[in-house]
Amino acid sequence: MPFFTLRGPELSVSHPDLVCSDLTKDFDAFRAVDRVSFEVPQGSFFSILGPSGCGKTTLLRMIAGFQSPTSGDLRIKGKSMIGVPPNKRPVSMVFQHLALFPTMNIGDNVGFGLRQRGVAKSEINRRVEQVLERVGLPGVSQRRIDQISGGQKQRVAIARCMVLEPDVLLLDEPLGALDLKLREHMKVELKVLQAAFNTTFVYITHDQSEALVMSDNIAVMNNGKFEQIGSPHDVYHAPETAFVAGFVGDANKIKAKVSAVNGTFLTLISDGGSEMKIEAPANTLRIGDRAQVFLRPEAIELCTTQDGVNVSQAEVTSVLFNGANSSITVKDDSGDLLKIALPQTGSFANLRIGDSVLTRWLPQQARCYRAEET
């Protein structure tokens, strides 16, 4: 199994906070997590991104100690956590529904874990006020939970964890219950809080936008395994598998067959009959292979001349206004449909259904995989 080392901006990899080695979890005959190995440097924001049922929650629960691995090892600060109960691990966890106590005020919620540990009352009060100030909620310890907003409740939940000074903070889709506008705001706020505390965050989500915005590194998980791990830029722009290309970001998916190979350039014929040229790693596909091509909507441009490769005559079939951009769909002469992200400014800003256009994209902007990977 490959052993992944995460490298985010200015992150040291010499002293990882979390190391998982061949971590596996079986439920009878079903393997939920399949020999996952990775390490996370101290102070980084690491997201596990994947669809429902891919194993990400099971992996997080093993890190927290709520489930025991079938095999493999899990170390925090160099110490194996196998057999260590949840309350003895240097981790805290923020749940999707926050699990705040409605009958307690904010200060008592934040200080709950310290009271369980037998910390003196004066020390609890000092640390509670200190951590509330760090999350931007000074002077609110006596307020009730029902007197604060959804975003403030998120910060209280984080404060309750951070007052325990964990080495690793685990977050189980904590933004899932928020409305869209608040969720967008909290993406930025969570990243700011993580940087302020300089604590390692391990965040699971099925929402690609959350992972792309907040993470230093992302692991894309599917069927119990990591398909790819890397920076948000690499995962989005250089997906290593067809699953990653289709799951992270929007993409046009075109079924095709390889008709010619010239070094690292492939010529393919789509099922609709249009020809396309793609730059791909050498020796990945051969003539006659079935392929799946992924092309981002923003990689396609509209042009006024036939110059260059991958230029097609097309007809606009739909126009959807989307604020700063429009999402248009075009059908080329062979019947292939392409979605294009179009700015609201420029000579093509006022397109209508039925308009004739020329589309163009560069060979290096598409990704190509064997069809059996999809």
Side-chain angles (χ1 to χ4, degrees):
M1 286 289 293
F3 196 91
F4 297 101
T5 299
L6 310 187
R7 292 178 172 85
E10 300 182 10
L11 296 177
S12 169
V13 296
S14 58
H15 302 289
D17 266 356
L18 173 65
V19 178
C20 293
S21 304
D22 286 334
L23 206 62
T24 300
K25 180 61 178 179
D26 295 328
F27 294 99
D28 297 325
F30 174 69
R31 177 155 290 184
V33 178
D34 190 1
R35 299 183 66 207
V36 169
S37 297
F38 65 100
E39 64 181 52
V40 184
Q42 193 279 327
S44 61
F45 198 122
F46 173 49
S47 291
I48 303 170
L49 171 66
S52 298
C54 72
K56 58 186 186 293
T57 296
T58 300
L59 176 56
L60 197 75
R61 290 177 63 82
M62 285 193 287
I63 297 171
F66 299 135
Q67 290 179 334
S68 299
T70 303
S71 61
D73 194 17
L74 187 160
R75 293 179 175 269
I76 297 176
K77 291 290 188 182
K79 181 180 179 181
S80 177
M81 294 291 107
I82 302 302
V84 178
N87 64 326
K88 299 296 184 181
R89 297 189 180 197
V91 303
S92 291
M93 190 165 180
V94 179
F95 298 93
Q96 180 174 351
H97 296 291
L98 305 183
L100 298 173
F101 301 111
T103 58
M104 295 182 185
N105 62 29
I106 292 172
D108 288 341
N109 264 279
V110 174
F112 178 79
L114 294 176
R115 291 195 300 277
Q116 295 297 106
R117 293 182 177 182
V119 177
K121 184 176 181 180
S122 59
E123 177 66 9
I124 291 175
N125 292 338
R126 184 189 70 81
R127 289 170 65 175
V128 165
E129 292 300 329
Q130 184 181 61
V131 77
L132 283 173
E133 184 171 354
R134 291 192 70 184
V135 300
L137 294 173
V140 301
S141 60
Q142 298 304 311
R143 295 178 64 181
R144 299 197 312 269
I145 292 297
D146 61 4
Q147 293 179 317
I148 59 176
S149 67
Q152 290 172 323
K153 289 176 183 177
Q154 293 283 337
R155 283 185 272 168
V156 170
I158 292 172
R160 184 174 63 180
C161 292
M162 297 310 299
V163 78
L164 300 175
E165 299 179 345
D167 291 326
V168 179
L169 180 63
L170 309 175
L171 301 101
D172 184 5
E173 305 209 45
L175 306 186
L178 303 180
D179 62 64
L180 178 60
K181 187 173 182 179
L182 182 54
R183 192 160 64 243
E184 291 297 316
H185 171 73
M186 286 304 300
K187 289 179 193 177
V188 178
E189 190 155 309
L190 269 179
K191 181 60 179 174
V192 171
L193 287 172
Q194 186 268 331
F197 283 103
N198 194 33
T199 298
T200 300
F201 278 26
V202 178
Y203 186 98
I204 68 167
T205 181
H206 65 274
D207 187 324
Q208 56 184 285
S209 65
E210 290 180 11
L212 291 171
V213 167
M214 295 187 292
S215 308
D216 296 311
N217 287 279
I218 301 170
V220 183
M221 195 171 189
N222 183 36
N223 292 328
K225 298 181 179 181
F226 285 174
E227 297 249 344
Q228 183 174 352
I229 192 166
S231 69
H233 182 277
D234 288 346
V235 168
Y236 185 83
H237 290 288
E240 294 177 357
T241 69
F243 175 80
V244 177
F247 187 76
V248 180
D250 196 9
N252 294 289
K253 304 173 186 178
I254 307 168
K255 294 180 179 180
K257 187 175 183 178
V258 179
S259 62
V261 178
N262 182 13
T264 60
F265 285 88
L266 306 176
T267 301
L268 301 99
I269 305 298
S270 75
D271 285 0
S274 60
E275 182 179 279
M276 63 190 80
K277 295 186 183 297
I278 294 174
E279 186 176 358
N283 303 317
T284 55
L285 291 167
R286 298 179 179 179
I287 294 174
D289 285 346
R290 294 285 302 166
Q292 180 86 66
V293 177
F294 291 82
L295 183 63
R296 301 288 187 200
E298 66 269 22
I300 307 170
E301 64 176 358
L302 300 183
C303 56
T304 57
T305 69
Q306 293 277 359
D307 297 338
V309 298
N310 301 324
V311 179
S312 298
Q313 186 76 42
E315 179 184 331
V316 177
T317 61
S318 71
V319 180
L320 299 177
F321 178 73
N322 190 26
N325 298 289
S326 287
S327 176
I328 71 169
T329 303
V330 302
K331 180 188 290 186
D332 65 20
D333 289 340
S334 62
D336 289 327
L337 292 173
L338 292 176
K339 185 188 297 183
I340 303 173
L342 189 68
Q344 287 294 331
T345 58
S347 56
F348 298 104
N350 298 311
L351 287 175
R352 298 289 184 267
I353 294 174
D355 286 350
S356 181
V357 294
L358 287 174
T359 66
R360 178 172 58 202
W361 49 274
L362 300 176
Q364 61 267 32
Q365 291 179 310
R367 304 290 293 187
C368 187
Y369 309 88
R370 292 185 186 277
E372 52 263 33
E373 288 191 33
T374 63

